[in-house]
Amino acid sequence: MRLILLGPPGVGKGTQASAIVKKYNIPHISTGDIFRSNIKEGTELGKKAKEYMDKGLLVPDELVVSIVQDRLTKEDCVQGFLLDGFPRTINQAEALDKELTKMGIKLDKVVNIDADKEILIERAIGRRICKTCGSSYHIKFNPPKVENLCDIDNGELFQRDDDIEETVATRIEVYLNQTQPLIDYYKEKGIILNVDGTRPIDEVFETIVKALGDK
Ligand code: AP5
Ligand code: ZN
């Protein structure tokens, strides 16, 4: 299964991605996660990406595309993959198409999750992430059993630097201007699957699995 998860910031892409990759046994390729781990390790890429991410802006295409191209040629992508947060511009989508054509493969579906701005802001601001394992929680919608501690490994939970209201609002604007046009791009290719992201986490997942099939 070769999938893209499309949708505005905070809609639940990462949450659904974790469940989808487990179900279909495919690697989860999140460009946001790749940048955050580079920031943590203090790499040159991380330093450059942080300048844009902290402002809620997109990292320039030339920094993103080559990372994904390299990742897709790794052995674990042979049986499929889930791209989460990539592509985010028409330019990125065209570069991906070229790469896939070169590899002789095609996308199966683009899962487009959507919700209203108020919901996105509430979800992003309330998100908390485990310092140890990266699991994602929400203070209201998906709280850990013990406040501020991860259920899996007791790791401390933290808030992402770009999850403050002002930056979330910028990220939503950037999404509307630069990423939303991709919905039509993939609609024309006949592979878009629209999913109502306002439903609870389990229901959103059920809808996706029903549409993608059980295997
Ligand atoms: P990225 O990491 O991709 O962030 P994003 O797209 O803004 O998405 P989020 O991670 O904020 O949200 P999500 O949809 O994954 O929601 P989640 O499941 O966590 O990108 C960050 C930055 O990196 C960008 O701003 C940009 O600078 C850069 N970048 C990355 N890729 C790039 C690219 N290709 N090109 C250029 N720049 C790039 O859920 C959010 C919260 O809601 C959680 O707390 C969760 O528990 C809760 N929740 C989830 N689903 C539900 C539900 N159904 N009901 C109730 N609560 C829910
Ligand atoms: Zn944890």
Side-chain angles (χ1 to χ4, degrees):
M1 188 90 68
R2 299 182 188 102
L3 303 171
I4 288 177
L5 261 190
L6 194 63
V11 77
K13 299 184 296 297
T15 304
Q16 296 303 326
S18 304
I20 294 170
V21 298
K22 223 185 252 169
K23 166 106 190 142
Y24 295 102
N25 196 24
I26 47 177
H28 177 191
I29 305 174
S30 157
T31 41
D33 285 350
I34 293 171
F35 289 137
R36 280 183 290 276
S37 70
N38 273 274
I39 291 173
K40 209 166 154 189
E41 286 160 21
T43 67
E44 275 311 306
L45 173 69
K47 278 178 204 155
K48 280 188 203 154
K50 190 170 166 39
E51 282 176 37
Y52 298 91
M53 291 170 77
D54 282 351
K55 293 185 191 132
L57 304 175
L58 293 186
V59 175
D61 288 342
E62 58 270 24
L63 290 180
V64 188
V65 169
S66 56
I67 293 173
V68 177
Q69 281 169 337
D70 285 353
R71 183 65 187 86
L72 287 177
T73 56
K74 297 275 181 312
E75 179 140 10
D76 61 343
C77 289
V78 170
Q79 80 276 26
F81 51 79
L82 173 83
L83 286 168
D84 165 8
F86 181 94
R88 256 177 153 98
T89 62
I90 295 283
N91 194 20
Q92 290 181 16
E94 288 172 349
L96 175 64
D97 279 348
K98 264 193 211 150
E99 184 64 24
L100 295 179
T101 306
K102 212 162 82 186
M103 293 168 78
I105 55 177
K106 277 190 170 164
L107 292 168
D108 292 301
K109 277 273 181 268
V110 175
V111 180
N112 173 44
I113 313 178
D114 206 2
D116 290 341
K117 189 173 172 180
E118 293 69 37
I119 294 183
L120 303 176
I121 291 179
E122 190 181 15
R123 285 188 187 169
I125 289 175
R127 169 172 39 199
R128 299 291 181 274
I129 296 161
C130 172
K131 265 188 183 152
T132 318
C133 71
S135 294
S136 176
Y137 296 87
H138 191 282
I139 50 173
K140 187 166 153 195
F141 304 124
N142 182 23
K145 292 194 182 85
V146 180
E147 201 181 328
N148 238 17
L149 290 181
C150 176
D151 292 349
I152 300 164
D153 52 18
N154 270 331
E156 200 188 320
L157 305 187
F158 74 100
Q159 188 173 25
R160 252 166 61 175
D161 289 344
D162 59 350
D163 276 347
I164 48 170
E165 186 158 358
E166 206 191 326
T167 315
V168 174
T170 306
R171 285 159 58 202
I172 294 172
E173 277 306 304
V174 167
Y175 166 80
L176 293 173
N177 292 327
Q178 301 190 54
T179 308
Q180 205 179 39
L182 292 180
I183 298 175
D184 279 343
Y185 181 89
Y186 287 116
K187 206 188 269 171
E188 274 170 29
K189 293 181 186 288
I191 52 171
I192 201 102
L193 170 68
N194 290 312
V195 177
D196 177 4
T198 63
R199 311 298 305 156
I201 294 172
D202 295 358
E203 273 185 43
V204 176
F205 181 59
E206 264 172 44
T207 309
I208 295 172
V209 171
K210 243 185 218 162
L212 293 180
D214 226 10
K215 279 188 260 170

